[in-house]
Amino acid sequence: MAKVKLTVNGRAVSGDCEERTLLVHFIREKLGLTGTHVGCDTSQCGACVVHMDGQSVKSCTILAVQASGAAVTTIEGLAGNGELHPVQAAFKEHHGLQCGFCTPGMVMTAVDMINRHGGHLDEKTVRHELEGNICRCTGYHNIVKAVLSANEQMHGSAKQAAE
Ligand code: FES
Ligand code: FES
């Protein structure tokens, strides 16, 4: 067994787990934060995306012990003061979800994408960067619209809106 200590959504947490425990299972089963989903066993679907030290990562590809000492943000840590994060609000406004299973990973990926591009996002880039997130419901169109809309809201300089 290994001791894992990390900060999750601003809170210091720790727990024992087997060395082989994946970060996503630590988050879901030890911490009870079930907003982070598991949609595959091949590291393809992106339902498990969280932020580790500010960058999006597929939490099914990282051992919990590898995340020890890191600051992790999950979908539960995104909203603040009772308000949805602008990306969450944009997904809601633009109908960027149906069953919602992929949505936590989509949103976490989108937040990182918007942060990294600093407002300079276009539809082609959004579609390219969403390659690692699979949605079986929406056809992606409204997800792309939501990301571009949130980008504009957060940076005020989006050059394009998805048709
Ligand atoms: S559960 Fe991590 S990529 Fe599918
Ligand atoms: S909304 Fe159902 S998988 Fe994306």
Side-chain angles (χ1 to χ4, degrees):
M1 295 288 268
K3 186 92 173 166
V4 175
K5 288 186 184 181
L6 64 171
T7 304
V8 178
N9 301 334
R11 190 167 60 94
V13 297
S14 64
D16 295 321
C17 65
E18 291 186 53
E19 284 81 355
R20 64 177 180 165
T21 302
L22 298 172
L23 178 59
V24 68
H25 292 139
F26 188 85
I27 288 169
R28 287 177 56 84
E29 290 158 24
K30 291 278 179 192
L31 305 181
L33 296 170
T34 55
T36 303
H37 293 162
V38 180
C40 70
D41 56 9
T42 51
S43 303
Q44 285 183 308
C45 76
C48 63
V49 171
V50 300
H51 293 178
M52 195 165 108
D53 293 332
Q55 292 188 313
S56 60
V57 293
K58 290 180 172 175
S59 59
C60 73
T61 65
I62 296 174
L63 296 170
V65 290
Q66 288 176 295
S68 215
V72 170
T73 305
T74 70
I75 191 71
E76 289 90 345
L78 216 50
N81 302 322
E83 299 276 330
L84 292 177
H85 184 280
V87 174
Q88 292 174 306
F91 269 65
K92 182 177 174 199
E93 185 185 341
H94 294 278
H95 309 290
L97 64 143
Q98 289 180 21
C99 80
F101 191 86
C102 71
T103 310
M106 286 284 182
V107 168
M108 297 309 283
T109 296
V111 171
D112 178 49
M113 188 193 311
I114 290 168
N115 288 341
R116 272 186 296 103
H117 287 278
H120 302 287
L121 260 185
D122 57 23
E123 180 177 348
K124 191 174 167 201
T125 305
V126 173
R127 288 186 181 276
H128 176 69
E129 295 215 7
L130 285 178
E131 270 182 4
N133 293 75
I134 293 171
C135 176
R136 289 186 177 274
C137 302
T138 64
Y140 300 93
H141 188 68
N142 286 355
I143 291 174
V144 174
K145 271 166 73 171
V147 176
L148 289 169
S149 170
N151 177 65
E152 191 165 7
Q153 166 130 19
M154 290 166 70
H155 291 285
S157 59
K159 299 281 189 294
Q160 290 182 338
E163 296 298 323

